[in-house]
Amino acid sequence: METNDQQWQRSIPGGLIHPNEVQVWRAFLDLNKAPKESLLGTLSADELSRASRFRFEKDERRFIGARGILRQILGAYLQKPPQTLQFQYSSNGKPILASTSGDDSLQFNLSHSDDVVLYAFTRNRNIGIDLERIQADVEIEQIANKFFAEAELKAIEKVPESKRNELFFQYWTRKEALIKATGEGLSFPIETLDVSRVDGRVLSPILLPSDNGERSRWYVQDLLPGPGYTAAIVVEGGGCGFSCWEYCG
Ligand SMILES: CC(C)(COP(=O)(O)OP(=O)(O)OC[C@H]1O[C@@H](n2cnc3c(N)ncnc32)[C@H](O)[C@@H]1OP(=O)(O)O)[C@@H](O)C(=O)NCCC(=O)NCCS
């Protein structure tokens, strides 16, 4: 699917996800208002405890809103009350559905930036998603030197200065989505991964250094989450179709 086809149709979650399908949901949180009771009331005791530990109220509201909506969407897919769902976490903190959910094929990942949240859902394959606001006031050179591959640095240098931040965040989201799909988080040597040759308009293979030039099992595509933001999704294995939905709960 070309990124231009991303329509973000407004919808209420429900229905099925087929094995070769990826559904992406976008939600906007109102961080100026206390979270709705209907979302707050679905969180587990450990989620509420985590929420209460955020230093800033906006971060607490973002976590509650994003988790609450995650539970609503998963509950709709699984036909279960959102508050009955249980999560477990990988050693690097990636949340997955606990086996008690009754459907261990359903995979998901989410990313939030400011008041926007993106969720990705699929079946039987690992998935990662990353969303970033394209910030103008970031010292990209310093960060890129630490986390980007040589080819990525060269590609950023080549574009006009006005486009550099956009390209920086595009590469950043591709790299982050990959480490979120594998679940490795910060343990992945991110500077050894080159995403500059990827055609992000379509689902394209992303070669890992450990692939030694062989076929990759990971595929990446850029998303168009809205003006001022960039995002990417990584799925295990290719050949799947995307649909993009706007959450209205
Ligand atoms: C989770 C992580 C992988 C991404 O965090 P982030 O970009 O700050 O935050 P995002 O909003 O994109 O994602 C957070 C969500 O991802 C999920 N998550 C947490 N740990 C995860 C992991 N190891 N793998 C996949 N998903 C994870 C959670 O659902 C989390 O949301 P929650 O806290 O509300 O439950 C972060 O721990 C990290 O390692 N960042 C790497 C930073 C870096 O140096 N990047 C260089 C890239 S060039």
Side-chain angles (χ1 to χ4, degrees), residues 78-152:
L78 296 165
Q79 301 280 298
K80 287 197 167 183
Q83 64 275 16
T84 63
L85 301 176
Q86 288 177 321
F87 298 110
Q88 56 195 46
Y89 297 86
S90 75
S91 56
N92 290 309
K94 183 173 184 173
I96 55 167
L97 273 166
S99 47
T100 47
S101 71
D103 184 347
D104 50 16
S105 69
L106 195 57
Q107 305 286 322
F108 70 88
N109 195 229
L110 66 97
S111 182
H112 27 67
S113 186
D114 295 336
D115 57 352
V116 188
V117 197
L118 289 186
Y119 302 89
F121 301 90
T122 190
R123 284 196 184 281
N124 295 318
R125 51 174 100 209
N126 285 307
I127 192 159
I129 192 164
D130 192 55
L131 165 75
E132 299 288 340
R133 187 166 60 78
I134 302 165
Q135 298 162 55
D137 55 346
V138 169
E139 294 287 339
I140 60 169
E141 210 174 305
Q142 217 177 333
I143 304 171
N145 278 333
K146 194 165 173 203
F147 295 111
F148 283 21
E150 202 57 41
E152 295 170 334

Side-chain angles (χ1 to χ4, degrees), residues 1-3 10 17 28 69 80 83 90 96 102 109 114 116 118 120 130 162 183 185 188 191 215:
M1 187 191 71
E2 299 284 335
T3 42
R10 286 168 65 81
I17 306 185
F28 294 98
I69 294 171
K80 287 197 167 183
Q83 64 275 16
S90 75
I96 55 167
N109 195 229
D114 295 336
V116 188
L118 289 186
D130 192 55
S162 60
F188 189 94
E191 71 289 350
R215 252 179 87 165

